[in-house]
């Protein structure tokens, strides 16, 4: 389980960093008037690029949600196993 939790934490950190970096990019590269601008202009960030990020983040979030569902089920199973192990010091605890 240590290996699993280590890998889970690394994965979860990667996902959190993705959204943190996306938010930082939005806050630092989009000018306040970007939504009313016509076309993309010469700026690196504009409406089209923002919307590509929105769509990508939607897919990433769906993937992350499934990962969390599987992680939750794994932890619930671990809780059951811990409850049934002879000599377990966690009897009565729930996952």
């Amino acid at each position: 389980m240590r290996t699993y939790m280590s890998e889970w934490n690394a994965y979860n950190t990667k996902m959190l960093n993705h959204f943190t970096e996306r938010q930082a990019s939005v806050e630092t590269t989009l000018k306040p008037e970007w939504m009313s601008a016509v076309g993309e202009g010469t700026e690196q960030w504009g409406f089209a690029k923002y919307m590509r990020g929105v769509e990508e983040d939607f897919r990433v979030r769906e993937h992350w949600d499934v990962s969390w569902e599987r992680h939750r089920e794994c932890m619930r199973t671990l809780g059951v196993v811990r409850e049934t192990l002879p000599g377990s010091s966690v009897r009565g605890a729930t996952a």
Side-chain angles (χ1 to χ4, degrees), residues 38-74:
V38 177
E40 290 298 303
T42 59
E43 294 179 38
Q44 182 180 359
W45 271 81
F47 181 76
K49 183 156 183 160
Y50 177 79
M51 286 306 298
R52 282 191 300 273
V54 167
E55 294 300 328
E56 178 184 337
D57 287 352
F58 187 84
R59 290 186 304 276
V60 170
R61 224 175 341 275
E62 285 181 321
H63 179 80
W64 199 19
D65 285 345
V66 170
S67 299
W68 264 103
E69 289 171 13
R70 291 178 178 173
H71 175 67
R72 180 178 60 186
E73 188 58 35
C74 181

Side-chain angles (χ1 to χ4, degrees), residues 11 15 20 24 29 72 79 82 87 93 95:
Y11 166 77
M15 299 303 282
T20 298
T29 59
R72 180 178 60 186
R82 289 168 49 108

